[in-house]
Amino acid sequence: SWEDRGESLDQNVLYERREDYGADVPSDALLLTAGIDVQRDRIEMEVVAWGEGEESWNVDYRVIPGDPARDEVWQDLENALSKTYTHETGTAMNITSAVIDSGDQTTRVYDFVQKSNHQRLFAGKGVAGSGRPVAKISRKTSGKKRRQVDLYQIGVDDAKGTVYARLRMQEVGAGYCHFPLDRDLEYFEQMTAEKLVTKFYKGFPRKEWVKTRPRNEALDCRVYAYAALKILNPVWSAIDKKMHAKLK
């Protein structure tokens, strides 16, 4: 096979773009989603605020240390999902929708999704290949292949393409990605830890995402937070109307 050098993002450019929100959640944001990545010794979670045109704000990033085989680690995750964030208007906001990666610790993830108090927590599994929907449901099954929860297949290739295209945006507005002042450089290194390259197999080109460094959890969390938004499929005008009604 042969591969080209591919396109990548500069983490330092994104780091220099950090800003002061003035509140947990800026005024233009209308709802929160979360993306959760499960590792062998920790769980990582990003909380993203979304506004019209899918403009986004990173509002929280948490690393929950510990072996996911331990119940207390999952209790810490449940507590994190229950956290409220203060909107710039003073309104308390909860996480509306969340997707957790079930590719590792699958049984524990399914069990957690089934028992969690969070009503819009979904199990997801990344599926490679271009042209796949960001989130496609696979209903729970019975029999020998029984699965006790619905599973969303996450089209990670196209989702990463969307995330990277938006990270490259220079003008604030629809699709633009905002980051707070307290995000460290490691976060941005993880967010830019992959690149899309063209590989040729037996003379045929194929696009693939490849890692440029070992850790990419921030990117994975963003993909799952984006999938949680697509599952929710919000009607922005209705959410904006509801938000303003709370202020009266």
Side-chain angles (χ1 to χ4, degrees):
S1 67
W2 174 90
E3 71 176 61
D4 65 15
R5 296 178 62 186
E7 296 184 5
S8 58
L9 286 170
D10 188 337
Q11 66 271 20
N12 294 296
V13 172
L14 295 175
Y15 179 78
E16 293 299 328
R17 212 169 72 188
R18 296 172 303 157
E19 58 192 276
D20 182 5
Y21 291 170
D24 292 342
V25 184
S27 60
D28 289 338
L30 297 173
L31 62 86
L32 303 177
T33 70
I36 306 162
D37 185 48
V38 180
Q39 299 290 324
R40 292 299 174 94
D41 61 350
R42 67 193 182 282
I43 296 175
E44 302 201 14
M45 181 179 83
E46 181 182 34
V47 180
V48 182
W50 302 91
E52 291 194 49
E54 297 185 359
E55 186 173 1
S56 66
W57 293 261
N58 168 275
V59 300
D60 198 2
Y61 196 91
R62 291 169 175 258
V63 178
I64 301 171
D67 186 345
R70 297 165 48 198
D71 292 341
E72 54 265 36
V73 174
W74 295 101
Q75 184 58 56
D76 288 344
L77 177 58
E78 180 73 17
N79 294 340
L81 284 167
S82 301
K83 176 179 168 59
T84 60
Y85 298 85
T86 304
H87 193 267
E88 192 170 342
T89 59
T91 303
M93 297 182 68
N94 299 102
I95 295 169
T96 303
S97 177
V99 170
I100 180 171
D101 177 25
S102 64
D104 197 359
Q105 309 291 323
T106 304
T107 301
R108 290 304 302 259
V109 170
Y110 288 169
D111 186 59
F112 178 71
V113 170
Q114 188 177 40
K115 295 178 179 178
S116 174
N117 293 321
H118 203 285
Q119 295 183 348
R120 292 194 183 95
L121 172 64
F122 307 103
K125 184 177 181 181
V127 181
S130 62
R132 295 181 180 273
V134 173
K136 180 181 179 181
I137 194 169
S138 174
R139 297 293 182 184
K140 56 186 177 182
T141 57
S142 58
K144 291 183 179 180
K145 296 183 178 180
R146 182 178 181 274
R147 177 173 18 89
Q148 65 265 41
V149 298
D150 292 337
L151 175 68
Y152 278 86
Q153 297 178 350
I154 309 301
V156 293
D157 284 14
D158 283 14
K160 289 175 183 177
T162 298
V163 170
Y164 267 45
R166 292 176 175 179
L167 289 173
R168 289 191 178 95
M169 289 182 176
Q170 301 295 317
E171 296 184 9
V172 173
Y176 187 85
C177 301
H178 301 262
F179 303 99
L181 290 174
D182 58 354
R183 271 324 137 255
D184 61 14
L185 185 58
E186 172 64 23
Y187 167 83
F188 294 100
E189 288 178 342
Q190 290 184 26
M191 184 66 78
T192 59
E194 297 190 24
K195 65 178 180 178
L196 184 64
V197 303
T198 302
K199 292 187 177 183
F200 284 84
Y201 294 92
K202 297 181 179 179
F204 294 95
R206 186 168 69 193
K207 295 282 189 179
E208 290 185 9
W209 288 93
V210 297
K211 284 186 179 182
T212 58
R213 68 191 303 270
R215 293 192 57 185
N216 67 338
E217 290 87 349
L219 176 58
D220 286 343
C221 285
R222 177 56 64 103
V223 164
Y224 286 111
Y226 179 53
L229 179 72
K230 303 311 283 186
I231 292 170
L232 196 61
N233 192 25
V235 178
W236 295 110
S237 59
I239 297 173
D240 186 51
K241 183 177 180 181
K242 184 177 180 180
M243 177 72 77
H244 283 85
K246 289 182 179 180
L247 302 176
K248 293 181 179 179

